[in-house]
């Protein structure tokens, strides 16, 4: 390569450190706002799409945003549960179908979602390997969970302790992986799905233990056994794994109607039915609210974009400052190279060619910087979906 | 070859004025221009090469009136017909020796950089003792070697006229003679007219002619009106 561009290229290569610093300045001031823009755009697309695919949600009164985040992104502990009886009530005598969600626990830090089989159809989730959960203790893992934990059908994962310091608390439960979902590029990729009853077992509302009827009268675990009433001590073995052998020993204490669910996904038969249903909730004094996620999410995004506007202004200011510094560097460089330019002129180089030489140098630096910005932006674009999903589901 | 008539030149906002009634330099001659600093020697080279334009009078080089040409033509004329050697060598620090020699072909589109030109540059460089140093940068060369590169750069376009501005000013006594002999030898080989500006009176042997600016007078307006301007041109035997 000869000519002014060739000279420019050689100048840039010769002054590697200076060129690299200039490239870095341009890349950093450009890629940060671009990356944030892409992330915000992905965030907007993902969260709005997820909300739009969820017509309405019923849950405890309080922050509608917390309720939406619990139902769409399986956030734990951000909202009070409601009684399971609300699932039936949400059906509104046939006005809608309803799917319960229980999002209070995690397995290896991934949310455990207790729900019904209808959820898979509702979200159009396909099982890529294995089957949907069929019995107590089964779980179906999202594609990302399977990938990141390296689990497959036939493996087991263990629910996390609610509080690792509470030794007397609920024991973790081993879950049998019976299916792995196909990638859906939604928060469902990042969750572990179990039957609602399994979720209640994890919560300690149901349990299984050794059959005391089969114990000998002198068994050390028995305190008393008279007229069909058995009293045992703390030595009774509670099962931390549900197997074919012990599944029948699992039982619940109390009324399941009063058992908790985090939220209820509601699909009304139509707009009219949805309006009627909403009216019922709004007019009642119950501790339950009916929300349309899309409206809640769009309100949230309005705030996000307002904040983003401040960030944009900040990026423009930083970009402007950097541009001025770059101009200063170029001007100082020109001053230092005055003799070189003068020599070229004396040898027969036109002023225009000298300008082209300068423009070529800056062009190469900008070009290289833009290549890095493009590569960086492409990478951000490729991973931003996962980043956003990960952030939304469990702050990963 | 070079004809200067009734030349008047003055830098903007400067009192100094160069006046030269007449100067003729024949083709193939070796001419030294001597005189104290600031007497206008370099200015004369700039006028001959068309870098500067006279206020009045004419400068004709190789039959072309340089002082009457438009900018672009003067530039193209300069690169095709005039080779320049500078006191400070003025090599480009980020180019290697070979690229420095070929610099005129990189900065002016009227010159075509062909493989033959490259071969000629390599031959030139090797002929003056730069073999094995073609990929070095100027900073890796001695001062004598740097001036050799500058001479190669001046001659690579095979110009009719070579203008050297204090080419030995930055060299030690031993290198001074060597470099000057080298310039003489190469100029003679290509039958080039050589004009060397110097204030070093010890290197004048070997020149066909010496123009002594010491004897010339440069005036501001007052002296000019007093008729104090005169020129003296000495001819060496």
């Amino acid at each position: 390569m000869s000519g002014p561009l060739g000279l420019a290229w050689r100048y840039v290569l010769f002054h590697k450190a200076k060129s690299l610093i200039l490239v870095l300045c341009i890349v950093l001031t450009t890629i940060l706002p671009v990356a944030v823009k892409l992330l915000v755009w992905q965030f907007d697309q993902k969260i709005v799409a997820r909300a739009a695919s969820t017509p309405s949600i019923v849950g405890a009164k309080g922050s509608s945003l917390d309720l939406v985040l619990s139902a769409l992104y399986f956030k734990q502990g951000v909202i009070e549960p409601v009684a399971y009886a609300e699932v039936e009530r949400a059906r509104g005598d046939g006005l809608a179908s309803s799917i319960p969600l229980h999002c209070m626990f995690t397995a290896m830090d991934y949310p455990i979602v207790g729900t019904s089989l209808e959820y898979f159809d509702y979200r159009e989730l396909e099982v890529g390997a294995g089957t949907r959960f069929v019995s107590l203790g089964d779980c179906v893992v999202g594609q990302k969970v399977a990938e990141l934990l390296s689990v497959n059908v036939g493996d087991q994962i263990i629910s996390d302790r609610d509080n690792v310091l509470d030794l007397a608390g609920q024991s973790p439960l081993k879950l049998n992986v019976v299916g792995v979902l196909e990638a859906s590029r939604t928060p469902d990729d990042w969750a572990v799905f179990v039957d609602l009853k399994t979720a209640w077992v994890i919560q300690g509302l149901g349990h299984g233990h050794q059959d005391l009827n089969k114990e000998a009268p002198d068994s050390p675990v028995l305190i008393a056994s008279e007229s069909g009433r058995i009293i045992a001590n703390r030595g009774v073995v509670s099962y931390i794994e549900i197997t074919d052998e012990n599944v029948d020993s699992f039982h619940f204490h109390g009324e399941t109607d009063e058992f908790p669910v985090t939220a209820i996904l509601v699909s009304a038969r139509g707009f009219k039915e949805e309006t009627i249903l909403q009216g019922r909730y709004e007019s009642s004094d119950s501790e339950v609210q009916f929300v349309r996620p899309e409206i809640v999410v769009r309100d949230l995004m309005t705030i996000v974009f307002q904040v983003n506007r401040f960030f944009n202004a900040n990026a423009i200011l930083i970009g402007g400052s950097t541009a001025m510094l770059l101009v200063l560097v170029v001007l100082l460089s020109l001053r230092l190279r005055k003799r070189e330019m003068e020599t070229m002129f004396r040898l027969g180089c036109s002023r225009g060619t000298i300008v082209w030489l300068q423009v070529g140098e800056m062009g190469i630096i900008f070009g290289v910087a833009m290549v890095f910005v493009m590569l960086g932006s492409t990478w951000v674009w490729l991973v931003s979906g996962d980043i956003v999903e990960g952030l939304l589901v469990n702050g990963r | 070859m070079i004809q200067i008539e009734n030349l008047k030149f003055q830098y903007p906002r400067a009192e100094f004025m160069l006046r030269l009634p007449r100067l003729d330099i024949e083709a193939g001659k070796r001419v030294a221009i001597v005189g104290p600093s600031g007497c206008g020697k370099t200015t004369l080279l700039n006028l001959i090469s068309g870098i500067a334009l006279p206020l009045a009078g004419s400068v004709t080089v190789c039959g072309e009136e340089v002082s009457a040409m438009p900018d672009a033509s003067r530039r193209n004329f300069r690169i095709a017909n005039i080779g320049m050697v500078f006191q400070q060598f003025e090599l480009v620090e980020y180019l290697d020796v070979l690229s420095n020699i070929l610099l005129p072909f990189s900065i002016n589109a009227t010159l075509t950089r062909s493989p033959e030109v490259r071969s000629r540059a390599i031959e030139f460089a090797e002929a003056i003792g730069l073999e094995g140093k073609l990929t070095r940068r100027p900073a890796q060369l001695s001062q004598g070697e740097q001036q050799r590169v500058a001479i190669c750069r001046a001659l690579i376009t095979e110009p009719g006229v070579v203008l050297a501005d204090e080419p030995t000013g930055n060299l030690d006594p031993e290198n001074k003679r060597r470099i000057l002999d080298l310039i003489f030898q190469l100029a003679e080989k290509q039958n080039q007219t050589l004009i060397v500006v110097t204030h070093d009176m010890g290197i004048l042997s070997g020149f066909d002619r010496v123009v002594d600016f010491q004897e010339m007078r440069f005036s501001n307006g007052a002296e000019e009106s007093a008729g104090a301007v005169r020129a003296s041109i000495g001819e060496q035997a």
Side-chain angles (χ1 to χ4, degrees):
Chain A
M1 186 163 46
S2 61
L5 201 59
L7 291 179
W9 177 246
R10 283 166 175 223
Y11 177 84
V12 169
L13 280 187
F14 184 75
H15 295 282
K16 287 186 188 75
K18 177 189 154 191
S19 305
L20 194 65
I21 289 169
L22 289 176
V23 166
L24 276 177
C25 283
I26 298 167
V27 169
L28 290 178
T29 47
T30 311
I31 201 155
L32 282 176
V34 169
V36 168
K37 203 101 188 154
L38 283 173
L39 281 172
V40 169
W41 189 83
Q42 276 279 14
F43 184 77
D44 179 47
Q45 294 291 307
K46 292 271 181 187
I47 201 168
V48 169
R50 180 80 167 171
S53 67
T54 312
S56 36
I57 299 169
V58 167
K61 269 188 178 165
S63 163
S64 55
L65 180 61
D66 284 346
L67 175 59
V68 168
L69 290 178
S70 292
L72 302 188
Y73 296 97
F74 318 128
K75 291 275 179 203
Q76 296 106 42
V78 294
I79 191 157
E80 287 298 311
V82 294
Y84 180 71
E86 290 293 338
V87 177
E88 187 55 42
R89 187 185 163 211
R91 291 195 177 111
D93 304 324
L95 292 174
S97 60
S98 61
I99 299 169
L101 288 176
H102 181 286
C103 315
M104 297 181 194
F105 294 92
T106 56
M108 318 290 274
D109 286 339
Y110 292 95
I112 294 173
V113 181
T115 185
S116 61
L117 288 172
E118 286 81 20
Y119 184 82
F120 295 101
D121 299 323
Y122 179 81
R123 291 286 186 212
E124 298 175 349
L125 300 174
E126 297 291 334
V127 178
T131 61
R132 295 176 178 183
F133 48 74
V134 286
S135 62
L136 211 58
D138 288 352
C139 73
V140 175
V141 296
Q143 185 267 333
K144 275 288 170 192
V145 176
E147 181 189 316
L148 294 171
L149 295 183
S150 301
V151 293
N152 216 321
V153 175
D155 293 338
Q156 287 185 316
I157 54 176
I158 304 171
S159 66
D160 299 325
R161 260 185 188 281
D162 199 15
N163 181 351
V164 288
L165 301 175
D166 181 10
L167 298 178
Q170 183 55 37
S171 298
L173 184 70
K174 277 187 184 174
L175 298 168
N176 304 311
V177 179
V178 295
V180 176
L181 294 176
E182 282 183 0
S184 63
R185 301 206 176 282
T186 67
D188 300 315
D189 287 347
W190 300 78
V192 176
F193 294 95
V194 296
D195 182 68
L196 186 59
K197 285 180 178 171
T198 304
W200 287 336
V201 169
I202 294 168
Q203 196 175 356
L205 299 173
H207 64 162
H209 50 72
Q210 68 185 100
D211 188 352
L212 298 176
N213 290 318
K214 292 178 183 170
E215 292 299 311
D218 60 345
S219 168
V221 299
L222 294 182
I223 294 173
S225 175
E226 51 192 30
S227 59
R229 186 160 173 267
I230 298 171
I231 303 170
N233 61 25
R234 284 174 173 264
V236 174
V237 177
S238 288
Y239 299 125
I240 59 160
E241 181 180 1
I242 302 169
T243 61
D244 290 341
E245 289 72 36
N246 68 21
V247 67
D248 293 334
S249 75
F250 276 81
H251 53 277
F252 295 91
H253 296 275
E255 293 295 322
T256 52
D257 269 0
E258 292 168 10
F259 284 0
V261 293
T262 310
I264 303 156
L265 303 177
V266 179
S267 260
R269 308 274 173 242
F271 181 72
K272 183 181 158 192
E273 288 82 355
E274 188 180 26
T275 310
I276 294 169
L277 208 54
Q278 186 177 10
R280 283 183 191 172
Y281 279 101
E282 284 177 2
S283 59
S284 76
D285 294 330
S286 77
E287 291 300 304
V288 179
Q289 63 176 328
F290 180 99
V291 298
R292 291 183 174 169
E294 197 173 351
I295 294 170
V296 175
V297 162
R298 287 202 188 280
D299 286 347
L300 170 70
M301 289 315 295
T302 306
I303 298 166
V304 169
F305 282 120
Q306 275 169 355
V307 173
N308 194 40
R309 228 175 278 160
F310 285 105
F311 189 86
N312 288 343
N314 186 40
I316 289 168
L317 284 176
I318 290 173
S321 314
T322 309
M324 282 192 280
L325 278 174
L326 289 180
V327 168
L328 185 66
V329 168
V330 171
L331 289 177
L332 289 174
S333 168
L334 284 180
R335 186 176 285 187
L336 286 173
R337 297 174 66 194
K338 197 177 170 189
R339 280 184 62 168
E340 177 195 331
M341 299 303 153
E342 195 54 38
T343 302
M344 287 195 183
F345 176 71
R346 288 163 75 96
L347 289 176
C349 183
S350 68
R351 299 280 184 205
T353 306
I354 289 171
V355 170
W356 270 116
L357 186 63
Q358 301 294 322
V359 170
E361 285 165 13
M362 286 315 296
I364 289 167
I365 285 168
F366 267 101
V368 171
M370 284 306 117
V371 167
F372 280 112
V373 169
M374 294 275 279
L375 289 174
S377 304
T378 308
W379 179 78
V380 170
W381 173 252
L382 290 174
V383 301
S384 58
D386 281 351
I387 291 173
V388 169
E389 297 293 0
L391 280 173
L392 283 168
V393 174
N394 239 0
R396 279 167 202 281
Chain B
M1 176 54 137
I2 298 172
Q3 290 175 315
I4 295 171
E5 281 184 83
N6 300 321
L7 184 76
K8 272 189 187 177
F9 178 81
Q10 188 171 29
Y11 286 106
R13 292 181 296 280
E15 286 188 358
F16 167 82
M17 177 179 271
L18 171 64
R19 300 193 65 176
L20 194 55
R22 186 171 186 88
L23 175 62
D24 293 329
I25 297 171
E26 291 165 36
K29 292 287 182 188
R30 287 175 283 188
V31 177
I33 297 175
V34 296
S37 296
C39 69
K41 304 185 299 287
T42 301
T43 303
L44 181 64
L45 294 190
N46 287 344
L47 288 161
I48 293 171
S49 60
I51 291 170
L53 285 176
L55 290 177
S58 66
V59 178
T60 306
V61 180
C62 304
E64 305 253 11
E65 192 179 335
V66 180
S67 51
M69 288 180 184
D71 267 7
S73 306
R74 262 187 295 128
R75 201 166 48 243
N76 293 337
F77 176 83
R78 182 160 71 244
I79 204 153
N81 296 286
I82 294 173
M84 301 187 80
V85 181
F86 309 101
Q87 180 179 359
Q88 301 287 344
F89 325 132
E90 309 298 355
L91 300 177
V92 179
E93 58 162 355
Y94 53 86
L95 297 180
D96 59 23
V97 166
L98 185 59
S99 301
N100 261 296
I101 294 172
L102 291 167
L103 184 63
F105 292 86
S106 298
I107 58 175
N108 192 302
T110 59
L111 298 180
T112 310
R113 185 172 159 174
S114 61
E116 291 74 35
V117 170
R118 194 172 184 279
S119 304
R120 191 164 75 231
I122 294 169
E123 273 174 34
F124 259 15
E126 287 176 351
I128 62 170
L130 290 170
E131 65 272 7
K133 295 179 177 176
L134 294 177
T135 54
R136 291 194 185 175
R137 309 267 179 209
Q140 297 170 299
L141 302 175
S142 69
Q143 293 208 315
E145 286 170 333
Q146 288 186 46
Q147 191 60 301
R148 284 162 198 257
V149 176
I151 291 166
C152 276
R153 182 179 64 189
L155 301 181
I156 190 66
T157 56
E158 298 180 322
V161 179
V162 176
L163 306 177
D165 189 359
E166 304 275 10
T168 58
N170 249 13
L171 302 175
D172 56 75
E174 193 184 339
N175 263 320
K176 273 182 189 174
R177 197 64 249 173
R178 274 193 199 159
I179 289 294
L180 209 57
D181 288 344
L182 181 67
I183 295 174
F184 284 167
Q185 185 191 328
L186 293 172
E188 192 171 355
K189 208 172 174 181
Q190 296 186 39
N191 194 32
Q192 287 157 327
T193 305
L194 177 65
I195 301 175
V196 176
V197 158
T198 182
H199 62 263
D200 186 348
M201 307 304 269
I203 60 163
L204 296 182
S205 61
F207 283 97
D208 298 319
R209 188 177 168 190
V210 175
V211 178
D212 186 357
F213 268 43
Q214 180 78 49
E215 295 300 316
M216 298 169 77
R217 288 293 176 267
F218 310 98
S219 69
N220 59 22
E223 286 170 322
E224 189 182 358
S225 61
V229 178
R230 60 192 171 93
S232 171
I233 299 171
E235 188 106 16
Q236 260 206 351

